[in-house]
Amino acid sequence: MTDTTQMGPGNPEEREARIAEYVLGTLAGAEREAFEAELARDAALQRAVADWSDRMQPLADSVPAEAPPVALRRRVFDQIAARAPAEAKPFSLARWLAWTFGLSALAGAAAVALVLVFTPRPPVLAGYAMLHDDKGSDSVVAFQVDRDRHDMFVYASTPAAGAGHDYELWVLPQGKNPISLGVFKAGERQQRPLTATTAAFIEDGTELAVSLEPAGGAPGGQPTGPILFTGFFHPPVQPSAP
Amino acid sequence: MVPFANDSIGGIRSLDALDSLIEATAAGDRAAFGALYDAAAPQLFGLALRIVKRRDWAEDVLQETLLSAWRNAGAYRRDLGSGKAWLTVILRNRALDRLRREASARLDDSGGDVPEIADPSPSALDLTIAGDAGQRLMTCLDQLEETQRHAILMAYFDGLTHEQLAARMASPLGTVKSWIRRGLQRLKGCLEP
């Protein structure tokens, strides 16, 4: 990425103002289209737009949440069932821009040039696992390990464990007893340090499981309750070179 | 207003979880997409309602946003911002498109302007924004002049263009533009120490 890219007419102040106005949404019609055409060609501009989006995000967070109609969820799932699942395609800035900012079409050459600017980076994560139950429900426990394998993150989109109980996460190394990764609550993201010893057991294909245990976790250090969710650890889907 | 921390996503700190759910969705994991839907849809729907004001439009906007997220999760990159901001950008763009499409259809029909909005935009003082980033933004919004703050919040929450804002605020277009421009400039200066 370089700041020497030509940004079109206008001084830096003017440019900065238009970025902010674009994110705010006050640009309309031809002004908006002109900006989006520039955006498609300009990686630095696109990053600045992402920065402004993050800056304004607390405003979106301030709006009270409201449950959408149940039927809408069904409609969305019907529609995705009718489509091929999202593929892990190589990262394409053109596609990212098109979908994020609603650009309808991009000049092929410009898009290719930008994809070259956005060369893939090393993975941020060492990997992750999505743990599901065997009933086909939408409950899921997301587990991830950072690139340096120093931290793990757990997020459970599941019903609460219930009074007097906790969910406990386990690594199931082949031919060894389960190793506890601790208890966690539904609906909260939890970050914990990962010991090097435990981290060494978590590799591509390692199975993880969540059991229901008495509050505070299995007293003997081995699972006692029913196994509710299982899944396998694997590397993240990474953008590959185009 | 209900702070974000009380909603189904479970608080600001849980939001990195959306990043990993989007990444899992990119791998075609429908259950992860279901979890993403459940975690993000209520907040997105609240925002859609706030911007477009009509339930039927808000439902369309939310549906388009989630389908877009399913199809394009593979294009999400966490180093370009949070998953939540990624979803918000998609939703706001869809909502603004919808508003502007409807407005131009209405202009073609009757020459009418944007509809009157019963629910006026909140002043910064009415906002409750959870989290450190929210507190910082609140503090900085409070430092703006009233007209600057008002114009920016109306633009963000009501999806108004410069022209529509000028009509709503009964002020010349150039004046409104400069309120917004100076307001955003000060906001950025304040947010960046």
Side-chain angles (χ1 to χ4, degrees), chain A residues 41-54:
Chain A
R41 292 191 300 266
D42 187 334
L45 189 60
Q46 182 257 311
R47 185 165 292 274
V49 164
D51 288 345
W52 261 106
S53 304
D54 272 341

Side-chain angles (χ1 to χ4, degrees), chain A residues 53-191:
Chain A
S53 304
D54 272 341
R55 232 169 252 146
M56 303 300 266
Q57 183 59 33
L59 288 179
D61 298 341
S62 75
V63 175
E66 177 146 349
V70 178
L72 199 148
R73 192 182 201 281
R74 215 162 33 234
R75 281 206 298 279
V76 169
F77 275 80
D78 284 350
Q79 290 201 37
I80 70 167
R83 289 169 204 278
E87 293 165 41
K89 294 173 194 151
F91 173 74
S92 148
L93 181 68
R95 214 154 30 83
W96 189 88
L97 285 171
W99 288 109
T100 308
F101 299 106
L103 303 187
S104 49
L106 293 170
V112 168
L114 277 176
V115 169
L116 293 177
V117 171
F118 273 74
T119 47
R121 296 170 178 217
V124 176
L125 293 179
Y128 72 97
M130 306 301 293
L131 284 66
H132 305 298
D133 63 18
D134 55 9
K135 301 178 195 72
S137 80
D138 291 323
S139 289
V140 63
V141 179
F143 167 81
Q144 58 188 49
V145 173
D146 76 321
R147 179 173 44 191
D148 303 324
R149 295 177 173 267
H150 291 154
D151 289 292
M152 57 175 241
F153 307 85
V154 183
Y155 176 79
S157 176
T158 65
H165 289 94
D166 271 320
Y167 290 125
E168 187 159 2
L169 180 65
W170 307 88
V171 187
L172 311 176
Q174 269 198 321
K176 293 197 163 45
N177 287 334
I179 299 164
S180 176
L181 293 176
V183 298
F184 61 91
K185 302 237 174 298
E188 287 173 25
R189 173 181 180 268
Q190 277 140 91
Q191 174 174 2

